[in-house]
Amino acid sequence: MPPAPADALDVGGFVPMSTVDWPDRLAAVVFVQGCPWRCHYCHNPGLQPRCAHPAHGWARVLETLQARQGLLDGVVFSGGEPTLDRALIPAIRQVRVMGFEVGLHTAGLYPERLAECLPLVDWVALDVKTDFDDYKAITAVPRSGDPVRACLDLVLASGKPHELRTTWHPDLISDTMLMRLARRLKAAGARRWVLQSYRATPSTEASLGTGVRTPPDELVDRLRRTGLDLMVR
C-alpha cells in the first residue's frame, strides 16, 4: 500500500519541547494516533483508538516547528504506534527538509514499515516488553512478540543509535521472564537496555496499583551480569 500524504498524519498530540523523550536532545514530540495493542500499563490509552483527528493537525505542528528552527535539535515521532500510519514516512521527510534530526519511538508492530523508516531516522527507541514468547501477557494479543523480534533484528543491523526499553512490573514480568529476555537481547547483539519503572496512571491504578514499582537492586545486579549496558529509569 503506497504512503499517504504527510498532511494526512493522524496527530493525536504534540509537545513543542521535551528534554526527556530523546537522550541528550531538545526535541518536539509528535504523538501519532492509533495502536492495536492494549498493554496493561499503557500510559496513553487515549491514543489507542484510530479516530482520525482534523486534517489541520499536521499543518499546525509544522507551523510550530518552523518557529523553532535553530532552537530544537530534533523531532520525535511517538504514539500510539507511529509506524501504523501510512503518512509517517512523508512526515519524517518534511521534518528532515526543515533541518531537524528525527527520533522514533516504536513498539515494533510493523517490521516492513520500520525497515522503510530506519534510513530516515537518527535514533530509535524500541520497546521490548518481555521475552518474545510471553508477549500476550502484556499486550493481550497472541503471537505479538513475533514482529518485535524481527524489528529488534532490524534495529541492531541498522547501526542506528538506539535504546531498547522494557517496563517492569512484578505482576506482568517475572524475574525468570526478565532474565530470559536479557539473555536473548545479549545473544542478539544488543548493548544498551533501559529498564523502566512502572508508574501508575488513573487508568492503571485499579489493576496494577498506585505509585511507582522499581526493580529491586538484586534483580538489576543479576541482569547486569549478563553483560548488557543496563540503565534503570
Side-chain angles (χ1 to χ4, degrees):
M1 187 177 294
D7 59 8
L9 189 73
D10 193 351
V11 179
F14 178 61
V15 174
M17 185 174 68
S18 169
T19 60
V20 299
D21 288 276
W22 187 344
D24 303 319
R25 296 289 193 278
L26 189 63
V29 186
V30 180
F31 293 93
V32 180
Q33 186 75 34
C35 180
W37 289 353
R38 296 297 179 262
C39 299
H40 298 291
Y41 49 64
C42 181
H43 276 207
N44 294 316
L47 290 172
Q48 291 174 353
R50 187 71 171 155
C51 52
H53 288 82
H56 57 259
W58 180 241
R60 289 181 175 176
V61 168
L62 290 179
E63 288 176 7
T64 302
L65 293 179
Q66 288 169 351
R68 291 176 179 250
Q69 286 176 304
L71 301 175
L72 296 173
D73 299 310
V75 178
V76 174
F77 290 87
S78 188
E81 174 49 50
T83 60
L84 173 73
D85 199 308
R86 293 191 301 113
L88 176 64
I89 290 175
I92 288 174
R93 293 186 188 280
Q94 281 195 334
V95 166
R96 295 201 68 87
V97 168
M98 296 172 71
F100 294 106
E101 293 183 297
V102 176
L104 177 68
H105 292 176
T106 179
L109 281 73
Y110 303 104
E112 290 184 3
R113 189 158 292 151
L114 178 61
E116 296 179 65
C117 290
L118 281 170
L120 302 174
V121 303
D122 300 285
W123 174 79
V124 184
L126 174 66
D127 288 341
V128 185
K129 298 178 184 296
T130 186
D131 186 57
F132 305 115
D133 296 333
D134 301 316
Y135 250 70
K136 185 180 177 182
I138 304 290
T139 67
V141 177
R143 301 186 62 83
S144 47
D146 293 350
V148 186
R149 192 194 315 255
C151 285
L152 173 65
D153 291 342
L154 287 169
V155 170
L156 295 178
S158 74
K160 297 284 183 175
H162 63 273
E163 68 177 31
L164 310 176
R165 308 186 301 190
T166 303
T167 298
W168 181 84
H169 190 293
D171 293 349
L172 297 176
I173 182 167
S174 68
D175 291 5
T176 299
M177 293 162 65
L178 199 58
M179 289 300 301
R180 189 161 64 239
L181 173 60
R183 288 191 289 269
R184 288 212 188 198
L185 293 178
K186 179 64 175 177
R191 292 181 297 277
R192 181 174 176 80
W193 186 27
V194 178
L195 196 58
Q196 300 181 139
S197 300
Y198 160 81
R199 288 172 172 78
T201 68
S203 62
T204 65
E205 287 181 349
S207 59
L208 295 176
T210 60
V212 177
R213 299 287 194 278
T214 300
D217 292 342
E218 185 274 334
L219 174 60
V220 172
D221 288 343
R222 280 197 288 142
L223 293 168
R224 283 186 172 138
R225 286 198 290 272
T226 63
L228 291 167
D229 177 12
L230 176 64
M231 173 188 292
V232 178
R233 180 182 294 157

